[in-house]
């Protein structure tokens, strides 16, 4: 496709073998981008890249320099969860999860920003966990750390014309959430004003928007995409309890 909002742009997506990453690749290609899909599990059309390994990022940067000369977009989408709670989580759990969810985006920005001309854009994929006291300790702390990393990156890369924004998905149907208990899904729906879970197709338009020129003055921002889950500060059950109009 020669037209499209991202025509002529080279965009790297991590964690692109499935879930939100795979959907982002398809959406970005529909908008005309040349997408380099990467994942720790390589595969057809997906380059093998473990986001925790600096050498993998250095190899990718060399490849992009040789083949395209520049990179215009990076979606730090790869992420893992680990649902241990406060009393059981270990230092090793913390290191493993933070290595992927925090060090991964850091290494990606360090290696690819030097190839980015002014007008480039980075999207970091956070989580509603980054805005709340979500129960899995390693995951939640990693996503809060990613918020801080995104803010400092936006500050530092802004003068070079590179934007950095964070999106915070709520419960999105993917293999990650499929591995959670049924009670997790049901309680998320109860806490979500729109009363349902989200789909990967509802996340990708925001990623396209943040990578393109329509968002050219937006950087350092955090955008929830969660059906309102994080908008009410924990009072939805109060509102719901009084909804029938007879109790005020
Ligand atoms: N699904 C949700 O409800 C939800 C909610 C909030 C945030 N998120 C975040 O969205 C992103 C995508 O999640 P998803 O739901 O599509 O998950 P998913 O588990 O379906 O896909 C994640 C992908 O990341 C890859 N990956 C894991 N470790 C990697 C590594 N070290 N290097 C490279 N790739 C690696 C996996 O192989 C997989 O293909 C993650 O950052 C996740 O934390 C998901």
């Amino acid at each position: 496709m020669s037209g499209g909002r991202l025509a002529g742009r080279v965009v790297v997506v991590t964690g692109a073998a499935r879930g939100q990453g795979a959907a982002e690749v398809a959406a970005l290609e529909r908008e005309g981008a040349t997408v380099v899909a990467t994942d720790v599990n390589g595969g057809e059309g997906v380059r093998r890249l473990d986001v925790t390994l600096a050498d993998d990022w250095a190899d990718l940067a060399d490849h992009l320099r040789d083949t395209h000369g520049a990179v215009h977009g990076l979606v730090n989408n790869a992420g893992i969860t680990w649902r241990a709670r406060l009393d059981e989580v270990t230092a090793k759990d913390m290191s493993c999860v933070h290595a992927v969810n925090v060090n991964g985006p850091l290494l990606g920005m360090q290696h690819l920003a030097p190839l980015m001309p002014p007008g480039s854009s980075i999207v970091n994929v956070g989580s509603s966990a980054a805005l709340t006291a979500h129960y899995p300790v390693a995951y939640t702390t990693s996503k809060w750390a990613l918020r801080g990393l995104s803010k400092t990156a936006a500050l530092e890369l802004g003068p070079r014309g590179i934007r950095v924004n964070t999106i915070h998905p709520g419960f999105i149907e993917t293999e990650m959430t499929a591995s959670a208990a049924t009670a997790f899904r049901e309680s998320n729906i109860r806490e979500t004003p729109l009363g349902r879970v989200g789909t990967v197709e509802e996340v990708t338009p925001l990623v396209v928007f943040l990578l393109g020129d329509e968002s050219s003055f937006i950087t350092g921002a955090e955008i929830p995409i969660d059906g309102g889950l994080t908008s009410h500060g924990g009072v939805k059950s109060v509102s719901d309890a009084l909804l029938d109009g007879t109790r005020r």
Side-chain angles (χ1 to χ4, degrees), residues 18 20 39-40 49-51 77 126 139 143 169-170 172 174 177:
R18 69 182 199 194
Q20 292 177 62
D39 200 287
V40 68
L49 177 138
D50 182 338
V51 296
N77 165 79
Y139 184 74
K143 294 295 188 179
I172 307 297
T174 66
T177 43

Side-chain angles (χ1 to χ4, degrees), residues 14-21 38-41 49-52 76-81 100-101 125-129 139 143 168-177 200:
T14 66
R18 69 182 199 194
Q20 292 177 62
T38 68
D39 200 287
V40 68
N41 299 315
L49 177 138
D50 182 338
V51 296
T52 68
N76 280 314
N77 165 79
I80 57 171
T81 189
V100 177
N101 295 0
V125 180
S127 168
S128 53
Y139 184 74
K143 294 295 188 179
H168 293 305
F171 189 118
I172 307 297
E173 301 256 38
T174 66
E175 289 184 49
M176 180 183 278
T177 43
V200 295

